[in-house]
Amino acid sequence: MEADWTDRFSRLEELEAPAHERLRKSSSLIAFPKGAVVFGQGRSPESLLLLLEGTVRVQQLSEGGREIVLYRVHGGESCIMTTACLLTHEDYSAEGIAETDVQAVSIPRRVFDDLVASSKTFREFVFSAYSQRIIDLFVVIEEVAFRRMDIRLAQKLLDLGKDDGAVAATHQQLAAELGTAREVVSRQLAEFQRRGWVRLSRGKVELSDRAAIKGLAEAT
């Protein structure tokens, strides 16, 4: 891959000249359409992916079939699930789904291993991203374990809501975002509707009283 993409990622533009040249020449551009499985549970990673454009949703599926969204990877970021698996030589324990059309840079495993060992700047790039995402995951764990579901649902509706006040998501998708059962989300949405805060339809939640939802979302 001849084009220089490293300035899209913090710290990579500071790479030592030999590491920068090897990274640029050994990488390749790949694309995934919206809805594609970027990686799946039980698979072995063969390369590190750095996203140039688009969004990948990283989620885990329990043996009982329940999903939980762990985090999202956006343009200019790397996936720490892939990083962890490359470092430990383990298979993926989660899956990545393209939420939009995605363009990414693929760095082969052997190049990743060599640069982690030989380049201080590349090593700092890898572990800085890894550390920040671990902190994000602790926030997810804290929210799932300790925060009230009605507050979390209100926050999620505000996060996902479009300018017209509509959230295009099923109850199951919202449950996956929140790490809970669909029935729990359905009951809470029914309560929101009873209060006049939302209007429910198939695959859609309309925020009819955004101020009330925001007030709940900001509750402590």
Side-chain angles (χ1 to χ4, degrees), residues 160-197:
L160 298 178
K162 299 178 181 178
D163 292 337
D164 62 359
V167 177
T170 65
H171 295 194
Q172 181 59 54
Q173 288 169 332
L174 288 170
E177 294 282 346
L178 297 168
T180 189
R182 179 185 59 80
E183 294 79 9
V184 173
V185 169
S186 295
R187 285 197 299 270
Q188 195 61 66
L189 285 173
E191 175 60 20
F192 285 0
Q193 182 169 247
R194 187 191 67 79
R195 298 180 188 179
W197 295 359

PDB file of all heavy atoms in Angstrom, residues 160-197:
ATOM      1  N   LEU A 160     -28.795   7.555  20.809  1.00  0.00           N
ATOM      2  CA  LEU A 160     -29.124   6.982  19.504  1.00  0.00           C
ATOM      3  C   LEU A 160     -30.146   7.802  18.736  1.00  0.00           C
ATOM      4  O   LEU A 160     -30.337   7.588  17.538  1.00  0.00           O
ATOM      5  CB  LEU A 160     -29.661   5.553  19.675  1.00  0.00           C
ATOM      6  CG  LEU A 160     -28.700   4.539  20.304  1.00  0.00           C
ATOM      7  CD1 LEU A 160     -29.398   3.181  20.446  1.00  0.00           C
ATOM      8  CD2 LEU A 160     -27.435   4.392  19.476  1.00  0.00           C
ATOM      9  N   GLY A 161     -30.816   8.734  19.418  1.00  0.00           N
ATOM     10  CA  GLY A 161     -31.873   9.504  18.775  1.00  0.00           C
ATOM     11  C   GLY A 161     -31.353  10.403  17.673  1.00  0.00           C
ATOM     12  O   GLY A 161     -30.292  11.013  17.783  1.00  0.00           O
ATOM     13  N   LYS A 162     -32.108  10.478  16.591  1.00  0.00           N
ATOM     14  CA  LYS A 162     -31.763  11.355  15.467  1.00  0.00           C
ATOM     15  C   LYS A 162     -32.324  12.752  15.722  1.00  0.00           C
ATOM     16  O   LYS A 162     -32.987  13.009  16.715  1.00  0.00           O
ATOM     17  CB  LYS A 162     -32.335  10.763  14.175  1.00  0.00           C
ATOM     18  CG  LYS A 162     -31.793   9.379  13.844  1.00  0.00           C
ATOM     19  CD  LYS A 162     -32.431   8.834  12.578  1.00  0.00           C
ATOM     20  CE  LYS A 162     -31.905   7.443  12.258  1.00  0.00           C
ATOM     21  NZ  LYS A 162     -32.550   6.864  11.055  1.00  0.00           N
ATOM     22  N   ASP A 163     -32.072  13.646  14.776  1.00  0.00           N
ATOM     23  CA  ASP A 163     -32.539  15.023  14.932  1.00  0.00           C
ATOM     24  C   ASP A 163     -34.057  15.109  15.024  1.00  0.00           C
ATOM     25  O   ASP A 163     -34.601  16.016  15.652  1.00  0.00           O
ATOM     26  CB  ASP A 163     -32.044  15.882  13.763  1.00  0.00           C
ATOM     27  CG  ASP A 163     -30.533  16.066  13.784  1.00  0.00           C
ATOM     28  OD1 ASP A 163     -29.950  15.918  14.869  1.00  0.00           O
ATOM     29  OD2 ASP A 163     -29.954  16.358  12.724  1.00  0.00           O
ATOM     30  N   ASP A 164     -34.742  14.155  14.374  1.00  0.00           N
ATOM     31  CA  ASP A 164     -36.203  14.176  14.406  1.00  0.00           C
ATOM     32  C   ASP A 164     -36.769  13.488  15.644  1.00  0.00           C
ATOM     33  O   ASP A 164     -37.985  13.322  15.775  1.00  0.00           O
ATOM     34  CB  ASP A 164     -36.783  13.527  13.143  1.00  0.00           C
ATOM     35  CG  ASP A 164     -36.389  12.052  13.001  1.00  0.00           C
ATOM     36  OD1 ASP A 164     -35.646  11.549  13.870  1.00  0.00           O
ATOM     37  OD2 ASP A 164     -36.830  11.424  12.018  1.00  0.00           O
ATOM     38  N   GLY A 165     -35.881  13.066  16.581  1.00  0.00           N
ATOM     39  CA  GLY A 165     -36.342  12.445  17.807  1.00  0.00           C
ATOM     40  C   GLY A 165     -36.725  10.999  17.670  1.00  0.00           C
ATOM     41  O   GLY A 165     -37.437  10.458  18.525  1.00  0.00           O
ATOM     42  N   ALA A 166     -36.242  10.332  16.623  1.00  0.00           N
ATOM     43  CA  ALA A 166     -36.574   8.926  16.401  1.00  0.00           C
ATOM     44  C   ALA A 166     -35.348   8.047  16.613  1.00  0.00           C
ATOM     45  O   ALA A 166     -34.236   8.405  16.228  1.00  0.00           O
ATOM     46  CB  ALA A 166     -37.117   8.724  14.988  1.00  0.00           C
ATOM     47  N   VAL A 167     -35.562   6.902  17.249  1.00  0.00           N
ATOM     48  CA  VAL A 167     -34.512   5.904  17.444  1.00  0.00           C
ATOM     49  C   VAL A 167     -34.894   4.673  16.628  1.00  0.00           C
ATOM     50  O   VAL A 167     -35.900   4.011  16.920  1.00  0.00           O
ATOM     51  CB  VAL A 167     -34.372   5.528  18.933  1.00  0.00           C
ATOM     52  CG1 VAL A 167     -33.330   4.426  19.101  1.00  0.00           C
ATOM     53  CG2 VAL A 167     -34.008   6.750  19.761  1.00  0.00           C
ATOM     54  N   ALA A 168     -34.115   4.393  15.596  1.00  0.00           N
ATOM     55  CA  ALA A 168     -34.383   3.234  14.744  1.00  0.00           C
ATOM     56  C   ALA A 168     -33.697   2.009  15.347  1.00  0.00           C
ATOM     57  O   ALA A 168     -32.557   1.690  15.016  1.00  0.00           O
ATOM     58  CB  ALA A 168     -33.901   3.488  13.325  1.00  0.00           C
ATOM     59  N   ALA A 169     -34.380   1.348  16.261  1.00  0.00           N
ATOM     60  CA  ALA A 169     -33.806   0.172  16.930  1.00  0.00           C
ATOM     61  C   ALA A 169     -34.934  -0.677  17.494  1.00  0.00           C
ATOM     62  O   ALA A 169     -35.939  -0.156  17.973  1.00  0.00           O
ATOM     63  CB  ALA A 169     -32.859   0.596  18.054  1.00  0.00           C
ATOM     64  N   THR A 170     -34.767  -1.984  17.425  1.00  0.00           N
ATOM     65  CA  THR A 170     -35.728  -2.892  18.033  1.00  0.00           C
ATOM     66  C   THR A 170     -35.453  -2.989  19.531  1.00  0.00           C
ATOM     67  O   THR A 170     -34.409  -2.556  20.022  1.00  0.00           O
ATOM     68  CB  THR A 170     -35.626  -4.289  17.410  1.00  0.00           C
ATOM     69  OG1 THR A 170     -34.337  -4.840  17.736  1.00  0.00           O
ATOM     70  CG2 THR A 170     -35.778  -4.230  15.892  1.00  0.00           C
ATOM     71  N   HIS A 171     -36.398  -3.577  20.254  1.00  0.00           N
ATOM     72  CA  HIS A 171     -36.190  -3.785  21.684  1.00  0.00           C
ATOM     73  C   HIS A 171     -34.986  -4.700  21.923  1.00  0.00           C
ATOM     74  O   HIS A 171     -34.235  -4.507  22.884  1.00  0.00           O
ATOM     75  CB  HIS A 171     -37.448  -4.395  22.314  1.00  0.00           C
ATOM     76  CG  HIS A 171     -38.628  -3.480  22.278  1.00  0.00           C
ATOM     77  ND1 HIS A 171     -39.763  -3.692  23.025  1.00  0.00           N
ATOM     78  CD2 HIS A 171     -38.852  -2.312  21.596  1.00  0.00           C
ATOM     79  CE1 HIS A 171     -40.634  -2.734  22.785  1.00  0.00           C
ATOM     80  NE2 HIS A 171     -40.100  -1.885  21.917  1.00  0.00           N
ATOM     81  N   GLN A 172     -34.790  -5.684  21.029  1.00  0.00           N
ATOM     82  CA  GLN A 172     -33.651  -6.582  21.165  1.00  0.00           C
ATOM     83  C   GLN A 172     -32.334  -5.845  20.965  1.00  0.00           C
ATOM     84  O   GLN A 172     -31.353  -6.078  21.676  1.00  0.00           O
ATOM     85  CB  GLN A 172     -33.764  -7.733  20.158  1.00  0.00           C
ATOM     86  CG  GLN A 172     -32.624  -8.750  20.234  1.00  0.00           C
ATOM     87  CD  GLN A 172     -32.516  -9.399  21.598  1.00  0.00           C
ATOM     88  OE1 GLN A 172     -33.500  -9.953  22.102  1.00  0.00           O
ATOM     89  NE2 GLN A 172     -31.353  -9.334  22.215  1.00  0.00           N
ATOM     90  N   GLN A 173     -32.297  -4.939  20.002  1.00  0.00           N
ATOM     91  CA  GLN A 173     -31.071  -4.169  19.764  1.00  0.00           C
ATOM     92  C   GLN A 173     -30.756  -3.261  20.942  1.00  0.00           C
ATOM     93  O   GLN A 173     -29.594  -3.116  21.337  1.00  0.00           O
ATOM     94  CB  GLN A 173     -31.230  -3.359  18.472  1.00  0.00           C
ATOM     95  CG  GLN A 173     -31.199  -4.221  17.222  1.00  0.00           C
ATOM     96  CD  GLN A 173     -31.611  -3.459  15.972  1.00  0.00           C
ATOM     97  OE1 GLN A 173     -32.392  -2.501  16.043  1.00  0.00           O
ATOM     98  NE2 GLN A 173     -31.096  -3.872  14.834  1.00  0.00           N
ATOM     99  N   LEU A 174     -31.771  -2.651  21.515  1.00  0.00           N
ATOM    100  CA  LEU A 174     -31.554  -1.815  22.695  1.00  0.00           C
ATOM    101  C   LEU A 174     -31.077  -2.654  23.877  1.00  0.00           C
ATOM    102  O   LEU A 174     -30.209  -2.230  24.653  1.00  0.00           O
ATOM    103  CB  LEU A 174     -32.840  -1.073  23.061  1.00  0.00           C
ATOM    104  CG  LEU A 174     -33.249   0.060  22.112  1.00  0.00           C
ATOM    105  CD1 LEU A 174     -34.653   0.554  22.451  1.00  0.00           C
ATOM    106  CD2 LEU A 174     -32.250   1.208  22.177  1.00  0.00           C
ATOM    107  N   ALA A 175     -31.626  -3.867  24.006  1.00  0.00           N
ATOM    108  CA  ALA A 175     -31.192  -4.761  25.084  1.00  0.00           C
ATOM    109  C   ALA A 175     -29.717  -5.117  24.925  1.00  0.00           C
ATOM    110  O   ALA A 175     -28.969  -5.185  25.917  1.00  0.00           O
ATOM    111  CB  ALA A 175     -32.049  -6.024  25.090  1.00  0.00           C
ATOM    112  N   ALA A 176     -29.287  -5.349  23.678  1.00  0.00           N
ATOM    113  CA  ALA A 176     -27.875  -5.656  23.429  1.00  0.00           C
ATOM    114  C   ALA A 176     -26.988  -4.477  23.790  1.00  0.00           C
ATOM    115  O   ALA A 176     -25.892  -4.643  24.346  1.00  0.00           O
ATOM    116  CB  ALA A 176     -27.669  -6.049  21.963  1.00  0.00           C
ATOM    117  N   GLU A 177     -27.447  -3.273  23.479  1.00  0.00           N
ATOM    118  CA  GLU A 177     -26.685  -2.073  23.828  1.00  0.00           C
ATOM    119  C   GLU A 177     -26.507  -1.946  25.336  1.00  0.00           C
ATOM    120  O   GLU A 177     -25.478  -1.477  25.822  1.00  0.00           O
ATOM    121  CB  GLU A 177     -27.396  -0.830  23.302  1.00  0.00           C
ATOM    122  CG  GLU A 177     -27.455  -0.715  21.790  1.00  0.00           C
ATOM    123  CD  GLU A 177     -26.157  -0.251  21.194  1.00  0.00           C
ATOM    124  OE1 GLU A 177     -25.288   0.231  21.950  1.00  0.00           O
ATOM    125  OE2 GLU A 177     -25.997  -0.348  19.965  1.00  0.00           O
ATOM    126  N   LEU A 178     -27.522  -2.385  26.089  1.00  0.00           N
ATOM    127  CA  LEU A 178     -27.535  -2.192  27.530  1.00  0.00           C
ATOM    128  C   LEU A 178     -27.102  -3.426  28.311  1.00  0.00           C
ATOM    129  O   LEU A 178     -26.982  -3.374  29.539  1.00  0.00           O
ATOM    130  CB  LEU A 178     -28.937  -1.772  27.980  1.00  0.00           C
ATOM    131  CG  LEU A 178     -29.415  -0.427  27.410  1.00  0.00           C
ATOM    132  CD1 LEU A 178     -30.901  -0.247  27.660  1.00  0.00           C
ATOM    133  CD2 LEU A 178     -28.626   0.716  28.011  1.00  0.00           C
ATOM    134  N   GLY A 179     -26.904  -4.551  27.628  1.00  0.00           N
ATOM    135  CA  GLY A 179     -26.469  -5.759  28.316  1.00  0.00           C
ATOM    136  C   GLY A 179     -27.531  -6.349  29.209  1.00  0.00           C
ATOM    137  O   GLY A 179     -27.234  -6.839  30.304  1.00  0.00           O
ATOM    138  N   THR A 180     -28.784  -6.342  28.733  1.00  0.00           N
ATOM    139  CA  THR A 180     -29.873  -6.883  29.522  1.00  0.00           C
ATOM    140  C   THR A 180     -30.793  -7.699  28.620  1.00  0.00           C
ATOM    141  O   THR A 180     -30.531  -7.867  27.433  1.00  0.00           O
ATOM    142  CB  THR A 180     -30.650  -5.744  30.227  1.00  0.00           C
ATOM    143  OG1 THR A 180     -31.568  -6.301  31.155  1.00  0.00           O
ATOM    144  CG2 THR A 180     -31.395  -4.871  29.234  1.00  0.00           C
ATOM    145  N   ALA A 181     -31.894  -8.185  29.179  1.00  0.00           N
ATOM    146  CA  ALA A 181     -32.838  -8.994  28.413  1.00  0.00           C
ATOM    147  C   ALA A 181     -33.834  -8.097  27.680  1.00  0.00           C
ATOM    148  O   ALA A 181     -34.165  -7.004  28.140  1.00  0.00           O
ATOM    149  CB  ALA A 181     -33.591  -9.946  29.344  1.00  0.00           C
ATOM    150  N   ARG A 182     -34.321  -8.585  26.547  1.00  0.00           N
ATOM    151  CA  ARG A 182     -35.290  -7.824  25.760  1.00  0.00           C
ATOM    152  C   ARG A 182     -36.536  -7.509  26.586  1.00  0.00           C
ATOM    153  O   ARG A 182     -37.090  -6.407  26.491  1.00  0.00           O
ATOM    154  CB  ARG A 182     -35.681  -8.613  24.506  1.00  0.00           C
ATOM    155  CG  ARG A 182     -36.715  -7.910  23.628  1.00  0.00           C
ATOM    156  CD  ARG A 182     -37.162  -8.787  22.480  1.00  0.00           C
ATOM    157  NE  ARG A 182     -37.742 -10.031  22.969  1.00  0.00           N
ATOM    158  CZ  ARG A 182     -38.996 -10.138  23.431  1.00  0.00           C
ATOM    159  NH1 ARG A 182     -39.778  -9.072  23.484  1.00  0.00           N
ATOM    160  NH2 ARG A 182     -39.453 -11.299  23.837  1.00  0.00           N
ATOM    161  N   GLU A 183     -36.965  -8.460  27.410  1.00  0.00           N
ATOM    162  CA  GLU A 183     -38.179  -8.256  28.203  1.00  0.00           C
ATOM    163  C   GLU A 183     -38.035  -7.077  29.163  1.00  0.00           C
ATOM    164  O   GLU A 183     -38.998  -6.351  29.421  1.00  0.00           O
ATOM    165  CB  GLU A 183     -38.512  -9.528  28.980  1.00  0.00           C
ATOM    166  CG  GLU A 183     -38.908 -10.715  28.118  1.00  0.00           C
ATOM    167  CD  GLU A 183     -37.716 -11.426  27.495  1.00  0.00           C
ATOM    168  OE1 GLU A 183     -36.556 -11.098  27.860  1.00  0.00           O
ATOM    169  OE2 GLU A 183     -37.942 -12.307  26.636  1.00  0.00           O
ATOM    170  N   VAL A 184     -36.833  -6.899  29.696  1.00  0.00           N
ATOM    171  CA  VAL A 184     -36.580  -5.775  30.611  1.00  0.00           C
ATOM    172  C   VAL A 184     -36.741  -4.455  29.871  1.00  0.00           C
ATOM    173  O   VAL A 184     -37.377  -3.515  30.358  1.00  0.00           O
ATOM    174  CB  VAL A 184     -35.175  -5.896  31.228  1.00  0.00           C
ATOM    175  CG1 VAL A 184     -34.841  -4.645  32.049  1.00  0.00           C
ATOM    176  CG2 VAL A 184     -35.072  -7.143  32.082  1.00  0.00           C
ATOM    177  N   VAL A 185     -36.165  -4.371  28.677  1.00  0.00           N
ATOM    178  CA  VAL A 185     -36.277  -3.149  27.876  1.00  0.00           C
ATOM    179  C   VAL A 185     -37.722  -2.900  27.478  1.00  0.00           C
ATOM    180  O   VAL A 185     -38.218  -1.770  27.535  1.00  0.00           O
ATOM    181  CB  VAL A 185     -35.373  -3.252  26.631  1.00  0.00           C
ATOM    182  CG1 VAL A 185     -35.676  -2.121  25.647  1.00  0.00           C
ATOM    183  CG2 VAL A 185     -33.905  -3.212  27.036  1.00  0.00           C
ATOM    184  N   SER A 186     -38.431  -3.955  27.068  1.00  0.00           N
ATOM    185  CA  SER A 186     -39.827  -3.804  26.652  1.00  0.00           C
ATOM    186  C   SER A 186     -40.687  -3.263  27.790  1.00  0.00           C
ATOM    187  O   SER A 186     -41.534  -2.376  27.582  1.00  0.00           O
ATOM    188  CB  SER A 186     -40.381  -5.146  26.163  1.00  0.00           C
ATOM    189  OG  SER A 186     -39.707  -5.576  25.001  1.00  0.00           O
ATOM    190  N   ARG A 187     -40.487  -3.766  28.997  1.00  0.00           N
ATOM    191  CA  ARG A 187     -41.253  -3.283  30.140  1.00  0.00           C
ATOM    192  C   ARG A 187     -40.958  -1.814  30.428  1.00  0.00           C
ATOM    193  O   ARG A 187     -41.857  -1.031  30.721  1.00  0.00           O
ATOM    194  CB  ARG A 187     -40.950  -4.131  31.385  1.00  0.00           C
ATOM    195  CG  ARG A 187     -41.607  -5.509  31.377  1.00  0.00           C
ATOM    196  CD  ARG A 187     -41.609  -6.111  32.774  1.00  0.00           C
ATOM    197  NE  ARG A 187     -40.268  -6.302  33.310  1.00  0.00           N
ATOM    198  CZ  ARG A 187     -39.551  -7.413  33.151  1.00  0.00           C
ATOM    199  NH1 ARG A 187     -40.048  -8.427  32.457  1.00  0.00           N
ATOM    200  NH2 ARG A 187     -38.346  -7.513  33.672  1.00  0.00           N
ATOM    201  N   GLN A 188     -39.678  -1.448  30.339  1.00  0.00           N
ATOM    202  CA  GLN A 188     -39.324  -0.071  30.644  1.00  0.00           C
ATOM    203  C   GLN A 188     -39.837   0.883  29.579  1.00  0.00           C
ATOM    204  O   GLN A 188     -40.316   1.983  29.879  1.00  0.00           O
ATOM    205  CB  GLN A 188     -37.804   0.057  30.778  1.00  0.00           C
ATOM    206  CG  GLN A 188     -37.352   1.345  31.426  1.00  0.00           C
ATOM    207  CD  GLN A 188     -37.870   1.495  32.842  1.00  0.00           C
ATOM    208  OE1 GLN A 188     -37.503   0.737  33.724  1.00  0.00           O
ATOM    209  NE2 GLN A 188     -38.739   2.479  33.075  1.00  0.00           N
ATOM    210  N   LEU A 189     -39.777   0.463  28.309  1.00  0.00           N
ATOM    211  CA  LEU A 189     -40.306   1.303  27.238  1.00  0.00           C
ATOM    212  C   LEU A 189     -41.825   1.460  27.354  1.00  0.00           C
ATOM    213  O   LEU A 189     -42.366   2.532  27.072  1.00  0.00           O
ATOM    214  CB  LEU A 189     -39.943   0.706  25.871  1.00  0.00           C
ATOM    215  CG  LEU A 189     -38.494   0.879  25.429  1.00  0.00           C
ATOM    216  CD1 LEU A 189     -38.236   0.101  24.144  1.00  0.00           C
ATOM    217  CD2 LEU A 189     -38.145   2.352  25.230  1.00  0.00           C
ATOM    218  N   ALA A 190     -42.480   0.391  27.765  1.00  0.00           N
ATOM    219  CA  ALA A 190     -43.926   0.476  27.970  1.00  0.00           C
ATOM    220  C   ALA A 190     -44.259   1.496  29.057  1.00  0.00           C
ATOM    221  O   ALA A 190     -45.241   2.252  28.949  1.00  0.00           O
ATOM    222  CB  ALA A 190     -44.486  -0.900  28.326  1.00  0.00           C
ATOM    223  N   GLU A 191     -43.433   1.551  30.094  1.00  0.00           N
ATOM    224  CA  GLU A 191     -43.630   2.539  31.155  1.00  0.00           C
ATOM    225  C   GLU A 191     -43.381   3.945  30.632  1.00  0.00           C
ATOM    226  O   GLU A 191     -44.121   4.891  30.950  1.00  0.00           O
ATOM    227  CB  GLU A 191     -42.715   2.232  32.338  1.00  0.00           C
ATOM    228  CG  GLU A 191     -42.737   3.254  33.464  1.00  0.00           C
ATOM    229  CD  GLU A 191     -44.107   3.430  34.106  1.00  0.00           C
ATOM    230  OE1 GLU A 191     -44.968   2.539  33.970  1.00  0.00           O
ATOM    231  OE2 GLU A 191     -44.328   4.480  34.751  1.00  0.00           O
ATOM    232  N   PHE A 192     -42.326   4.121  29.817  1.00  0.00           N
ATOM    233  CA  PHE A 192     -42.056   5.428  29.219  1.00  0.00           C
ATOM    234  C   PHE A 192     -43.234   5.869  28.356  1.00  0.00           C
ATOM    235  O   PHE A 192     -43.610   7.043  28.334  1.00  0.00           O
ATOM    236  CB  PHE A 192     -40.782   5.378  28.371  1.00  0.00           C
ATOM    237  CG  PHE A 192     -39.496   5.341  29.159  1.00  0.00           C
ATOM    238  CD1 PHE A 192     -39.494   5.355  30.548  1.00  0.00           C
ATOM    239  CD2 PHE A 192     -38.268   5.303  28.500  1.00  0.00           C
ATOM    240  CE1 PHE A 192     -38.308   5.319  31.268  1.00  0.00           C
ATOM    241  CE2 PHE A 192     -37.083   5.273  29.203  1.00  0.00           C
ATOM    242  CZ  PHE A 192     -37.098   5.272  30.589  1.00  0.00           C
ATOM    243  N   GLN A 193     -43.808   4.917  27.613  1.00  0.00           N
ATOM    244  CA  GLN A 193     -44.946   5.242  26.755  1.00  0.00           C
ATOM    245  C   GLN A 193     -46.158   5.625  27.604  1.00  0.00           C
ATOM    246  O   GLN A 193     -46.897   6.562  27.267  1.00  0.00           O
ATOM    247  CB  GLN A 193     -45.278   4.056  25.847  1.00  0.00           C
ATOM    248  CG  GLN A 193     -46.435   4.339  24.884  1.00  0.00           C
ATOM    249  CD  GLN A 193     -46.575   3.277  23.835  1.00  0.00           C
ATOM    250  OE1 GLN A 193     -46.353   3.504  22.652  1.00  0.00           O
ATOM    251  NE2 GLN A 193     -46.955   2.081  24.246  1.00  0.00           N
ATOM    252  N   ARG A 194     -46.371   4.925  28.722  1.00  0.00           N
ATOM    253  CA  ARG A 194     -47.490   5.239  29.607  1.00  0.00           C
ATOM    254  C   ARG A 194     -47.380   6.665  30.140  1.00  0.00           C
ATOM    255  O   ARG A 194     -48.383   7.364  30.303  1.00  0.00           O
ATOM    256  CB  ARG A 194     -47.528   4.239  30.760  1.00  0.00           C
ATOM    257  CG  ARG A 194     -48.753   4.372  31.664  1.00  0.00           C
ATOM    258  CD  ARG A 194     -48.625   3.553  32.934  1.00  0.00           C
ATOM    259  NE  ARG A 194     -47.572   4.053  33.805  1.00  0.00           N
ATOM    260  CZ  ARG A 194     -47.714   5.115  34.609  1.00  0.00           C
ATOM    261  NH1 ARG A 194     -48.853   5.806  34.625  1.00  0.00           N
ATOM    262  NH2 ARG A 194     -46.720   5.514  35.377  1.00  0.00           N
ATOM    263  N   ARG A 195     -46.139   7.092  30.378  1.00  0.00           N
ATOM    264  CA  ARG A 195     -45.918   8.455  30.875  1.00  0.00           C
ATOM    265  C   ARG A 195     -46.012   9.506  29.765  1.00  0.00           C
ATOM    266  O   ARG A 195     -45.971  10.705  30.048  1.00  0.00           O
ATOM    267  CB  ARG A 195     -44.537   8.558  31.524  1.00  0.00           C
ATOM    268  CG  ARG A 195     -44.327   7.664  32.729  1.00  0.00           C
ATOM    269  CD  ARG A 195     -42.927   7.856  33.286  1.00  0.00           C
ATOM    270  NE  ARG A 195     -42.614   6.893  34.331  1.00  0.00           N
ATOM    271  CZ  ARG A 195     -41.442   6.835  34.977  1.00  0.00           C
ATOM    272  NH1 ARG A 195     -40.486   7.713  34.663  1.00  0.00           N
ATOM    273  NH2 ARG A 195     -41.216   5.927  35.899  1.00  0.00           N
ATOM    274  N   GLY A 196     -46.095   9.063  28.519  1.00  0.00           N
ATOM    275  CA  GLY A 196     -46.159  10.005  27.402  1.00  0.00           C
ATOM    276  C   GLY A 196     -44.815  10.475  26.908  1.00  0.00           C
ATOM    277  O   GLY A 196     -44.719  11.454  26.159  1.00  0.00           O
ATOM    278  N   TRP A 197     -43.744   9.781  27.296  1.00  0.00           N
ATOM    279  CA  TRP A 197     -42.392  10.192  26.910  1.00  0.00           C
ATOM    280  C   TRP A 197     -42.007   9.688  25.526  1.00  0.00           C
ATOM    281  O   TRP A 197     -41.206  10.317  24.840  1.00  0.00           O
ATOM    282  CB  TRP A 197     -41.370   9.673  27.922  1.00  0.00           C
ATOM    283  CG  TRP A 197     -41.503  10.263  29.287  1.00  0.00           C
ATOM    284  CD1 TRP A 197     -42.410  11.209  29.703  1.00  0.00           C
ATOM    285  CD2 TRP A 197     -40.712   9.962  30.436  1.00  0.00           C
ATOM    286  NE1 TRP A 197     -42.240  11.510  31.015  1.00  0.00           N
ATOM    287  CE2 TRP A 197     -41.200  10.757  31.517  1.00  0.00           C
ATOM    288  CE3 TRP A 197     -39.655   9.098  30.670  1.00  0.00           C
ATOM    289  CZ2 TRP A 197     -40.642  10.713  32.782  1.00  0.00           C
ATOM    290  CZ3 TRP A 197     -39.090   9.049  31.936  1.00  0.00           C
ATOM    291  CH2 TRP A 197     -39.581   9.844  32.980  1.00  0.00           C
TER     292      TRP A 197
END
